[in-house]
């Protein structure tokens, strides 16, 4: 009995560690069950192959006359070793997105462990029960199933907890709604296939310098993310609240709009990002223009970047609404980028800002237009822009003495911004080399090949070295670059971002410009060793 209790505790240790590591990847998938299950079984990446093989081999040996106590002890050792090994499944021992044990993860873990305890006790009684007789080998299939299905068990636990999670979310949502009704700030919503985070940060910098405002941090743009933002960060001192609004699936923007009821809004772009989920650009446009519904109901200002939103969509969804403004080729001109930043002319007024990227000019222009619509003087807006900080990891230029200039554009996932970043790097580098480090783009669906070939053409025009990260997933980019590259241009293949950084450290010189373009989650990049 003591040995069976030891076996049970060792298994629970293994299962607990296994579930936590599975939860790390489940969290990176945004708790989206279908995508996580596909990730688990594609190439058996999260299936514990080594432990399963050890258990199977030992069970076969056990059928040849070994003793129960020895079998129990051996299995206990297997589970302890496997549990410790799960502490670090990454081949290169690093995580780009730190795992957080949220209350949701703790609840899933607890329920899954309860299920594990029940299933393992059933297995112990069957394999070692006195009434049945010792038959470990006969029940090895059941044990292997428990081991292999640990990641799926986590999802099952999450499904069982859905009513609890729904009640928790409902409670927090109601708190956020009551708080907004009580404070009644002026809410400005910003959405778009790309450019929304930068536009939000620029507008927040302007409004914070001229009034009192608060904006969502980083790229928080989901409904529950906004609920938390409202509950924890909005207070009575804020006249303006700027909310970045994202969409992972149809209906997301409508749901967020019902929550916050934005009075004004900016639409930065309608493109093919999230194409894998929306399938057509028309579907993307329908989703993005949902931000306009509460604006129209309140008679608020709506600003559309007509440079990146087709006119047919504005005609369809906005119609003859009076308070709509468009950033058009007629309103913005003379866009240029140099070592001092970005420069352009907006409605006849010269605007300079110490940030980089051609498309940043459009984001600045949208923010300026909204600030003017809110009643602020252009002279005050320009004074605020003079101290505009760079947006973190969005064509962020980093200079250190004796080192290459680094451009961080890690959060970019669209071809236009990708090309703009390469042009910025070329402008800053001058006669120096441009080294592009990139894993390509995500969520492009059947546009993946087309857009990566397009980027390859621009890369040949602007960069000297392409360091392709996880090259097997972007062969359209690497093959097209290899086909078109000129003498002196180089293609380097790195199996992950750590290997790419090591190559840059060994080969880049102080006269080079290194552009880190886009980043992908560990689940897309790392080889898992389980």
């Amino acid at each position: 009995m003591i040995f069976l209790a030891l076996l049970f505790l060792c298994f629970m240790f293994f299962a607990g560690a296994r579930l936590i590591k599975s939860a790390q990847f489940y969290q990176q998938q945004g708790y989206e069950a279908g995508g996580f299950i596909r990730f688990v079984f594609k190439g058996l990446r999260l299936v514990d192959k080594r432990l399963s093989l050890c258990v199977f081999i030992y069970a076969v040996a056990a059928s040849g006359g070994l003793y129960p106590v020895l079998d129990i002890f051996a299995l206990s050792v297997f589970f302890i070793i496997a549990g410790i090994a799960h502490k670090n499944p990454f081949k290169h021992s690093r995580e780009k997105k730190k795992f957080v044990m949220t209350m949701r993860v703790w609840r899933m873990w607890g329920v899954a462990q309860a299920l594990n305890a029940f299933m393992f006790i059933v297995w112990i009684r069957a394999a070692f029960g006195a009434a049945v007789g010792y038959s470990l080998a006969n029940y090895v299939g059941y044990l292997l199933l428990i081991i292999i299905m640990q990641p799926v068990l986590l999802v099952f636990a999450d499904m069982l907890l859905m009513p609890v999670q729904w009640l928790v979310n409902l409670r927090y949502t109601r708190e956020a709604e009551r708080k907004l009704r009580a404070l009644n700030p002026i809410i400005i919503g910003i959405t778009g296939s790309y450019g929304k985070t930068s536009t939000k940060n620029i507008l927040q910098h302007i409004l914070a310098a001229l009034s009192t405002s608060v904006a969502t941090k980083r790229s928080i743009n989901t409904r529950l993310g906004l609920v938390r933002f409202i509950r924890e960060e909005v207070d009575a001192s804020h006249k303006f609240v700027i909310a970045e609004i994202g969409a992972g699936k149809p209906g997301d923007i409508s749901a967020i709009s019902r929550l916050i009821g934005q009075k004004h809004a900016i639409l930065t772009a309608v493109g093919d990002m999230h194409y894998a989920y929306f399938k057509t650009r028309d579907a993307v446009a329908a989703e993005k223009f949902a931000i306009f519904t509460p604006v129209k109901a309140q008679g608020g200002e709506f600003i559309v970047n007509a440079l990146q939103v087709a006119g047919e969509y504005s005609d369809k969804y906005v119609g003859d609404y009076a308070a709509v403004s468009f950033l058009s080729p007629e309103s913005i001109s003379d866009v240029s980028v140099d070592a001092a930043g970005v420069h352009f002319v907006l409605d006849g007024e010269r605007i300079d800002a110490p940030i980089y990227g051609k498309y940043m000019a459009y984001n600045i222009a949208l923010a300026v237009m909204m600030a003017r619509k809110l009643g602020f003087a252009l002279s005050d807006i320009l004074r605020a822009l003079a101290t505009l900080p760079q947006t973190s990891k969005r064509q962020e230029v980093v200079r250190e003495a004796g080192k290459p200039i680094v451009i961080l554009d890690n959060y970019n996932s669209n071809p236009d911004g990708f090309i703009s970043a390469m042009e910025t790097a070329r402008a800053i580098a001058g006669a120096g080399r441009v080294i592009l480090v990139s894993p390509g783009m995500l969520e492009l669906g059947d546009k993946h090949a087309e857009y990566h070939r397009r980027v390859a053409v621009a890369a040949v025009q602007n960069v000297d070295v392409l360091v392709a990260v996880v090259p097997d997933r972007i062969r359209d980019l690497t093959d097209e670059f290899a086909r078109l590259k000129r003498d002196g241009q180089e293609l380097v293949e790195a199996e992950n971002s750590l290997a790419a950084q090591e190559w840059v450290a060994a080969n880049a010189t102080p006269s080079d410009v290194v552009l880190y373009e886009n980043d992908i989650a560990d689940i897309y990049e790392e080889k898992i060793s389980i």
Side-chain angles (χ1 to χ4, degrees), residues 398-406 508-512:
V398 180
R399 292 180 169 90
E400 291 187 53
K403 294 184 179 181
I405 295 174
V406 173
T509 69
S511 62
D512 295 333

Side-chain angles (χ1 to χ4, degrees), residues 325-401:
S325 303
F326 296 96
L327 177 64
S328 65
E330 292 74 33
S331 56
I332 188 170
S333 60
D334 298 333
V335 179
S336 64
V337 179
D338 58 26
V342 63
H343 318 278
F344 60 96
V345 175
L346 177 65
D347 294 327
E349 299 287 346
R350 172 79 177 186
I351 294 179
D352 306 290
I355 63 174
Y356 301 89
K358 175 183 176 182
Y359 285 90
M360 282 296 183
Y362 303 157
N363 300 332
I364 295 169
L366 293 168
V368 170
M369 291 170 68
M370 178 58 74
R372 296 192 72 177
K373 292 291 184 182
L374 295 173
F376 296 102
L378 179 61
S379 58
D380 294 332
I381 295 170
L382 294 180
R383 190 162 50 252
L385 286 177
T387 59
L388 181 65
Q390 297 188 72
T391 300
S392 177
K393 296 186 178 180
R394 285 173 171 83
Q395 296 200 36
E396 178 186 7
V397 178
V398 180
R399 292 180 169 90
E400 291 187 53

Side-chain angles (χ1 to χ4, degrees), residues 432-461:
R433 289 192 309 173
V434 173
I435 300 172
L436 168 65
V437 181
S438 179
M441 298 169 284
L442 292 171
E443 299 181 353
L444 296 177
D446 57 13
K447 296 284 188 180
H448 180 91
E450 174 189 341
Y451 282 167
H452 280 96
R453 285 194 293 267
R454 176 183 164 194
V455 163
V457 173
V460 171
Q461 297 169 352

Side-chain angles (χ1 to χ4, degrees), residues 118-151:
F118 172 77
M119 291 188 296
F120 200 72
I121 289 172
V122 169
W123 178 81
I124 286 177
R125 290 178 61 85
F128 297 99
V132 178
Y134 174 55
S135 52
L136 171 61
N138 295 336
Y139 290 93
V140 69
Y142 180 67
L143 177 58
L144 290 175
L145 182 64
I146 296 175
I147 294 170
I148 290 170
M149 297 303 289
Q150 286 301 306

Side-chain angles (χ1 to χ4, degrees), residues 181-193:
R181 285 197 299 270
L183 299 179
N184 194 29
I186 298 171
I187 302 177
I188 305 159
I190 301 176
T191 195
S193 296

